[in-house]
Amino acid sequence: MTKAHATEQQPDTEYLFDTGSDAGAEHMDLLSRLFDRHSFGVLEPVSIRAGQRCLDLGAGGGSVTRWLADRVGPAGEVVAIDIDTTRLATGPGITVHRHDINDGLTGPLAGPYDLIHARLMLMHLPRRDQILTGLVDALAPGGTLVVGDVSGRPLTVLSAGDARDLAVWERIQYLSHEVVSPAGGIDFGWAHRINEAMIGAGLVDIEGVEVSHTVSGGTPGALLHAVLNQQAHNQLLAAGAEPWELARYQELARDPQFRTWFYQFVCLRGRRSC
Ligand SMILES: C[S@@+](CC[C@H](N)C(=O)[O-])C[C@H]1O[C@@H](n2cnc3c(N)ncnc32)[C@H](O)[C@@H]1O
């Protein structure tokens, strides 16, 4: 479904997942457990100070929002934006706004911000380059933008029970990444274009990390695969997946004998010139 303000060239798409559902709660918890340490490693050197103003875009479960709020303190402000604010709570220094970033940053959401963070957000938005430019415009002079997304690095399976299980896993991953995700506006190529987009928007001192690791069934990485494809169940069926394949996929994601490479996470920060 496209939205009324969509352009013909790059129509906005409806977000594929449901943060407010039970599966969405598990999804957000797993993202925090998998990615927070890497995000915090990129955020830490920014030396966010008491009294500063930050934006957490697509804040999800709010783990990064809370980390930022601890640093800016009650004298500062962390603005947490999401189209679904079910999992976000206001608190000292935290304001929560239900908002679609495709509509820009205006009114109480307008800059300037000392820091803007967007994790696993821009990869979902077809107008990601334009939105990144808008985020840079909302930075205070000297402010920092931190963007983290996962790339399309091949997720090679390292150990599956047998050839049939391997084929099931690879087929569901293929349908998920090559059919369902693009239809939902997701671009796995974006992660490796963040650097170029930051340069194009005029940011300087761009630095960051790329990390990837292996995961076994039953651990957070494999369970993230499971909960993503659980939320996209109907889209996967429409793409041609068989119900027994989706059921076996869920079992493999919980089987300790199953091992695979997990998503590569690319996280960069760039600074607006003073
Ligand atoms: C994959 S989750 C990432 C959550 C969080 N940033 C994290 O990394 O833990 C993406 C979040 O962006 C929100 N979202 C999706 N499209 C959005 C939009 N157009 N504007 C604002 N938020 C959006 C979703 O509701 C979801 O909570």
Side-chain angles (χ1 to χ4, degrees):
M1 187 179 82
T2 55
K3 295 176 184 171
H5 58 271
T7 62
E8 273 185 26
Q9 292 77 18
Q10 294 166 301
D12 296 334
T13 47
E14 191 168 17
Y15 180 61
L16 197 51
F17 307 113
D18 182 1
T19 300
S21 67
D22 288 349
E26 186 186 353
H27 181 178
M28 294 306 117
D29 177 57
L30 290 167
L31 294 184
S32 169
R33 292 164 68 185
L34 287 158
F35 297 115
D36 277 2
R37 64 187 188 280
H38 305 306
S39 299
F40 297 161
V42 174
L43 284 162
E44 194 79 59
V46 179
S47 299
I48 300 148
R49 297 188 304 278
Q52 289 192 318
R53 186 166 187 248
C54 303
L55 169 65
D56 190 12
L57 179 61
S63 59
V64 175
T65 299
R66 291 188 290 277
W67 188 91
L68 292 170
D70 283 347
R71 276 143 190 88
V72 302
E77 182 186 24
V78 182
V79 176
I81 291 178
D82 204 294
I83 48 168
D84 185 336
T85 54
T86 311
R87 312 265 157 236
L88 297 169
T90 54
I94 298 177
T95 57
V96 174
H97 298 265
R98 184 174 184 162
H99 179 71
D100 185 338
I101 191 58
N102 289 302
D103 296 333
L105 291 172
T106 56
L109 307 180
Y113 292 99
D114 298 295
L115 179 121
I116 297 178
H117 171 261
R119 184 174 74 190
L120 303 170
M121 170 81 282
L122 294 180
M123 66 182 295
H124 289 275
L125 304 175
R127 288 193 285 130
R128 54 190 65 79
D129 287 276
Q130 184 186 337
I131 289 167
L132 183 141
T133 301
L135 297 179
V136 171
D137 289 345
L139 285 174
T144 300
L145 173 65
V146 176
V147 176
D149 283 294
V150 294
S151 79
R153 179 189 188 277
L155 302 180
T156 311
V157 173
L158 299 169
S159 171
D162 55 27
R164 186 169 175 264
D165 281 343
L166 176 62
V168 166
W169 185 271
E170 290 186 337
R171 176 166 152 75
I172 299 305
Q173 287 300 99
Y174 169 80
L175 293 175
S176 172
H177 287 179
E178 305 298 333
V179 181
V180 174
S181 295
I186 296 174
D187 182 354
F188 286 101
W190 158 254
H192 284 130
R193 296 201 308 277
I194 298 170
N195 176 64
E196 180 192 336
M198 284 184 163
I199 292 171
L203 295 181
V204 297
D205 298 338
I206 299 167
E207 293 182 59
V209 296
E210 288 183 357
V211 284
S212 58
H213 53 93
T214 62
V215 295
S216 301
T219 67
L223 294 176
L224 181 70
H225 282 305
V227 83
L228 290 173
N229 286 333
Q230 179 188 337
Q231 290 173 91
H233 184 88
N234 291 339
Q235 292 92 332
L236 286 164
L237 288 177
E242 298 287 339
W244 72 265
E245 291 178 307
L246 293 172
R248 184 62 189 143
Y249 182 93
Q250 292 291 328
E251 289 170 359
L252 288 171
R254 290 164 177 79
D255 178 353
Q257 303 305 316
F258 179 80
R259 285 194 311 126
T260 178
W261 277 100
F262 184 60
Y263 288 119
Q264 178 190 48
F265 181 57
V266 180
C267 187
L268 295 178
R269 64 168 183 265
R271 192 172 56 79
R272 181 172 176 171
S273 299
C274 293

